[in-house]
Amino acid sequence: MTYTFDENIVSDLHKDARGFRPGELFWEQWVLSTDQRKQAIWDSLIKEMNESMDRERRMEQEAIKDFESDINLNIALGAGDRETALRWMTQDEEFYFDQCVEHWVWNQGFLFTDYGRDLCKELMDIVTFKEYE
């Protein structure tokens, strides 16, 4: 049998799959496992990671859909266009640096998507940056 598990990155895989590094109990089990059992653990973690990534993508898409609905609501309430709607949506925030814009988009739930990156670029020309004192 060919084994694909990698002892050097199993901790990273565990974190990607479950959101945290493995604890002492995991490592005790891992050390005592045969290569065949390690492969089964590895394959299970791969499956969990893929499910986690799929869930994250669905959540990001839902957040984008909700955000677009908020933009459309602001337009319907009188903003008139997307730029004004975004200005209204960000007017109560304080932006000092580009990272503040990224943080605001991150709070919307989709920073690390193409939509999120494009929105950051768009907002750079819309928000008012304050002097950092």
Side-chain angles (χ1 to χ4, degrees), residues 14-26:
H14 187 285
K15 185 172 187 306
D16 289 342
R18 299 184 180 166
F20 56 91
R21 298 276 178 197
E24 189 175 326
L25 183 63
F26 175 89

Side-chain angles (χ1 to χ4, degrees), residues 12-51:
D12 296 333
L13 176 58
H14 187 285
K15 185 172 187 306
D16 289 342
R18 299 184 180 166
F20 56 91
R21 298 276 178 197
E24 189 175 326
L25 183 63
F26 175 89
W27 288 118
E28 287 175 10
Q29 179 186 8
W30 183 264
V31 168
L32 296 174
S33 294
T34 64
D35 283 351
Q36 189 171 359
R37 178 68 185 130
K38 287 179 180 178
Q39 186 64 51
I41 294 168
W42 179 267
D43 292 344
S44 177
L45 288 170
I46 292 283
K47 182 179 180 211
E48 287 180 49
M49 180 193 66
N50 288 333
E51 290 168 354

Side-chain angles (χ1 to χ4, degrees), residues 29-85:
Q29 179 186 8
W30 183 264
V31 168
L32 296 174
S33 294
T34 64
D35 283 351
Q36 189 171 359
R37 178 68 185 130
K38 287 179 180 178
Q39 186 64 51
I41 294 168
W42 179 267
D43 292 344
S44 177
L45 288 170
I46 292 283
K47 182 179 180 211
E48 287 180 49
M49 180 193 66
N50 288 333
E51 290 168 354
S52 175
M53 291 173 66
D54 289 344
R55 187 172 44 257
E56 186 174 316
R57 276 192 289 277
R58 285 191 307 274
M59 290 171 57
E60 288 169 344
Q61 290 307 308
E62 187 66 29
I64 291 169
K65 187 172 119 185
D66 291 346
F67 187 77
E68 282 292 322
S69 292
D70 289 347
I71 290 173
N72 291 330
L73 176 62
N74 276 280
I75 291 170
L77 292 173
D81 59 31
R82 179 181 173 89
E83 181 176 336
T84 304

Side-chain angles (χ1 to χ4, degrees), residues 82 111 113-124:
R82 179 181 173 89
L111 174 62
T113 65
D114 290 340
Y115 183 90
R117 286 184 284 277
D118 291 343
L119 179 62
C120 284
K121 290 176 191 170
E122 185 178 9
L123 288 171
M124 295 300 174

